[in-house]
Amino acid sequence: MTSIPTIETARLLLRPHTVDDFSDYMTMWSDEAVVRFIGGVPSTREQAWARMLRVAGMWHHMGFGFLAIEEKQSGRFIGEAGFLDMKRDMHPVSTEGTLETGWGLMPFAQGHGYASEALTALIAWAEERFPSKPMTCIIDPGNDPSLRLAHKLGFREVQRCNYNGEVILLSRSGTPPA
């Protein structure tokens, strides 16, 4: 079994999720502002629990996954970020076989550079451990803040795809998606 890392940045602690995170995790994924561009439907308590357990399973089976983002100064859970390899029904191309990069932050934590700080550290971690694995992300065309962040991190648009509506498939460092 893969050991789930803890990564420290200037302001953040990126760490494995814990059962104690669940209340905040559920609050985040049931917030309409958070899910507006990520499926658009707030999660129920049960769906949030399944999502949090999926994170642990991704680490176990793939050697990568999402980490909880904790603000070091306050100790508060402010979101999560990391990598997935989902078996998505995307057309005409897929993120399968890539490090699909994703992030989500509580509304109060958005706009402070936390996602950029967390993802910069996570990408460095992944490049060291999975140097030949392409990195991708999918972003709703209306999500300008996430598109700006993805571009800042070196992701570039590859194609518009259908995944429960139109999404933009982006790839990092010229590595093509699967």
Side-chain angles (χ1 to χ4, degrees):
M1 186 165 147
T2 300
S3 174
I4 303 174
T6 296
I7 302 169
E8 193 168 337
T9 70
R11 301 180 297 164
L12 306 172
L13 190 62
L14 310 174
R15 57 164 178 75
H17 294 77
T18 68
V19 172
D20 291 339
D21 293 327
F22 181 63
S23 179
D24 291 330
Y25 194 82
M26 185 189 69
T27 298
M28 182 176 83
W29 286 111
S30 65
D31 189 308
E32 289 183 10
V34 171
V35 301
R36 178 177 171 205
F37 296 115
I38 308 172
V41 179
S43 294
T44 64
R45 185 173 189 271
E46 180 179 350
Q47 289 166 334
W49 180 247
R51 184 183 198 115
M52 198 167 100
L53 294 177
R54 178 182 74 190
V55 169
M58 191 68 60
W59 281 105
H60 176 78
H61 292 289
M62 305 302 296
F64 54 81
F66 271 48
L67 294 173
I69 304 172
E70 180 181 308
E71 186 182 51
K72 285 183 356 186
Q73 185 176 10
S74 68
R76 291 188 298 184
F77 173 92
I78 63 168
E80 67 175 352
F83 308 101
L84 301 166
D85 187 351
M86 303 298 288
K87 307 299 184 200
R88 296 187 190 279
D89 291 326
M90 271 178 64
H91 304 285
V93 294
S94 172
T95 59
E96 203 166 314
T98 73
L99 291 168
E100 182 186 326
T101 310
W103 57 94
L105 294 177
M106 299 279 236
F108 71 82
Q110 296 174 9
H112 301 285
Y114 291 137
S116 178
E117 186 174 328
L119 288 163
T120 297
L122 284 162
I123 288 169
W125 175 89
E127 285 178 333
E128 192 175 292
R129 283 152 188 84
F130 303 96
S132 62
K133 204 163 189 63
M135 283 187 202
T136 60
C137 61
I138 56 173
I139 300 175
D140 184 291
N143 191 344
D144 291 332
S146 285
L147 287 168
R148 280 193 301 275
L149 176 57
H151 283 104
K152 177 182 174 183
L153 296 168
F155 289 89
R156 299 294 175 255
E157 182 172 341
V158 173
Q159 190 167 349
R160 303 274 169 135
C161 303
N162 181 15
Y163 180 66
N164 302 320
E166 185 182 37
V167 295
I168 300 173
L169 173 64
L170 300 105
S171 184
R172 188 169 184 282
S173 304
T175 56

mmCIF file of all heavy atoms in Angstrom, residues 62 85-90 94-97 163:
data_model
loop_
_atom_site.group_PDB
_atom_site.id
_atom_site.type_symbol
_atom_site.label_atom_id
_atom_site.label_comp_id
_atom_site.label_asym_id
_atom_site.label_seq_id
_atom_site.Cartn_x
_atom_site.Cartn_y
_atom_site.Cartn_z
ATOM 1 N N MET A 62 -3.804 3.555 -6.905
ATOM 2 C CA MET A 62 -3.077 4.260 -7.964
ATOM 3 C C MET A 62 -1.747 4.864 -7.500
ATOM 4 O O MET A 62 -0.920 5.229 -8.327
ATOM 5 C CB MET A 62 -3.960 5.374 -8.560
ATOM 6 C CG MET A 62 -5.314 4.894 -9.073
ATOM 7 S SD MET A 62 -5.223 3.613 -10.346
ATOM 8 C CE MET A 62 -4.405 4.484 -11.661
ATOM 9 N N ASP A 85 -7.383 9.353 -11.472
ATOM 10 C CA ASP A 85 -7.440 8.651 -12.753
ATOM 11 C C ASP A 85 -8.816 8.011 -12.784
ATOM 12 O O ASP A 85 -9.017 6.903 -12.301
ATOM 13 C CB ASP A 85 -6.335 7.603 -12.887
ATOM 14 C CG ASP A 85 -6.288 6.989 -14.289
ATOM 15 O OD1 ASP A 85 -7.203 7.252 -15.094
ATOM 16 O OD2 ASP A 85 -5.342 6.243 -14.567
ATOM 17 N N MET A 86 -9.763 8.769 -13.306
ATOM 18 C CA MET A 86 -11.156 8.335 -13.332
ATOM 19 C C MET A 86 -11.453 7.613 -14.643
ATOM 20 O O MET A 86 -10.815 7.867 -15.647
ATOM 21 C CB MET A 86 -12.085 9.551 -13.197
ATOM 22 C CG MET A 86 -11.837 10.373 -11.945
ATOM 23 S SD MET A 86 -12.124 9.472 -10.422
ATOM 24 C CE MET A 86 -13.906 9.367 -10.469
ATOM 25 N N LYS A 87 -12.395 6.761 -14.599
ATOM 26 C CA LYS A 87 -12.856 6.066 -15.811
ATOM 27 C C LYS A 87 -14.061 6.850 -16.336
ATOM 28 O O LYS A 87 -15.182 6.373 -16.361
ATOM 29 C CB LYS A 87 -13.229 4.610 -15.501
ATOM 30 C CG LYS A 87 -12.124 3.822 -14.794
ATOM 31 C CD LYS A 87 -10.873 3.722 -15.626
ATOM 32 C CE LYS A 87 -9.832 2.856 -14.927
ATOM 33 N NZ LYS A 87 -8.489 3.087 -15.406
ATOM 34 N N ARG A 88 -13.812 8.086 -16.743
ATOM 35 C CA ARG A 88 -14.879 8.992 -17.153
ATOM 36 C C ARG A 88 -15.400 8.641 -18.541
ATOM 37 O O ARG A 88 -14.622 8.293 -19.427
ATOM 38 C CB ARG A 88 -14.381 10.432 -17.177
ATOM 39 C CG ARG A 88 -13.960 10.965 -15.818
ATOM 40 C CD ARG A 88 -13.646 12.457 -15.925
ATOM 41 N NE ARG A 88 -13.016 12.972 -14.733
ATOM 42 C CZ ARG A 88 -13.654 13.328 -13.627
ATOM 43 N NH1 ARG A 88 -14.956 13.185 -13.553
ATOM 44 N NH2 ARG A 88 -12.991 13.811 -12.597
ATOM 45 N N ASP A 89 -16.679 8.815 -18.725
ATOM 46 C CA ASP A 89 -17.288 8.673 -20.046
ATOM 47 C C ASP A 89 -17.216 10.021 -20.746
ATOM 48 O O ASP A 89 -18.193 10.756 -20.844
ATOM 49 C CB ASP A 89 -18.744 8.200 -19.918
ATOM 50 C CG ASP A 89 -18.849 6.778 -19.415
ATOM 51 O OD1 ASP A 89 -17.957 5.967 -19.756
ATOM 52 O OD2 ASP A 89 -19.806 6.477 -18.683
ATOM 53 N N MET A 90 -15.996 10.349 -21.206
ATOM 54 C CA MET A 90 -15.739 11.614 -21.904
ATOM 55 C C MET A 90 -15.572 11.340 -23.380
ATOM 56 O O MET A 90 -14.981 10.330 -23.758
ATOM 57 C CB MET A 90 -14.428 12.245 -21.393
ATOM 58 C CG MET A 90 -14.597 13.146 -20.218
ATOM 59 S SD MET A 90 -13.018 13.813 -19.638
ATOM 60 C CE MET A 90 -12.463 14.786 -21.017
ATOM 61 N N SER A 94 -10.123 11.371 -23.609
ATOM 62 C CA SER A 94 -10.283 11.004 -22.211
ATOM 63 C C SER A 94 -9.086 11.465 -21.389
ATOM 64 O O SER A 94 -8.009 11.713 -21.920
ATOM 65 C CB SER A 94 -10.406 9.482 -22.122
ATOM 66 O OG SER A 94 -10.385 9.043 -20.791
ATOM 67 N N THR A 95 -9.296 11.526 -20.084
ATOM 68 C CA THR A 95 -8.194 11.788 -19.159
ATOM 69 C C THR A 95 -7.637 10.485 -18.595
ATOM 70 O O THR A 95 -6.694 10.506 -17.811
ATOM 71 C CB THR A 95 -8.666 12.667 -17.981
ATOM 72 O OG1 THR A 95 -9.721 11.991 -17.300
ATOM 73 C CG2 THR A 95 -9.132 14.033 -18.454
ATOM 74 N N GLU A 96 -8.219 9.376 -18.992
ATOM 75 C CA GLU A 96 -7.806 8.071 -18.465
ATOM 76 C C GLU A 96 -6.321 7.833 -18.725
ATOM 77 O O GLU A 96 -5.810 8.107 -19.804
ATOM 78 C CB GLU A 96 -8.632 6.964 -19.115
ATOM 79 C CG GLU A 96 -8.690 5.716 -18.293
ATOM 80 C CD GLU A 96 -9.768 4.750 -18.772
ATOM 81 O OE1 GLU A 96 -10.907 5.185 -19.030
ATOM 82 O OE2 GLU A 96 -9.437 3.562 -18.875
ATOM 83 N N GLY A 97 -5.621 7.337 -17.711
ATOM 84 C CA GLY A 97 -4.191 7.072 -17.836
ATOM 85 C C GLY A 97 -3.326 8.286 -17.539
ATOM 86 O O GLY A 97 -2.100 8.216 -17.631
ATOM 87 N N TYR A 163 -18.440 16.095 -21.266
ATOM 88 C CA TYR A 163 -18.500 15.309 -20.048
ATOM 89 C C TYR A 163 -19.592 15.918 -19.187
ATOM 90 O O TYR A 163 -19.353 16.900 -18.481
ATOM 91 C CB TYR A 163 -17.155 15.285 -19.300
ATOM 92 C CG TYR A 163 -17.232 14.464 -18.031
ATOM 93 C CD1 TYR A 163 -17.445 13.090 -18.107
ATOM 94 C CD2 TYR A 163 -17.164 15.053 -16.782
ATOM 95 C CE1 TYR A 163 -17.566 12.328 -16.965
ATOM 96 C CE2 TYR A 163 -17.276 14.294 -15.629
ATOM 97 C CZ TYR A 163 -17.482 12.936 -15.729
ATOM 98 O OH TYR A 163 -17.620 12.177 -14.591
#
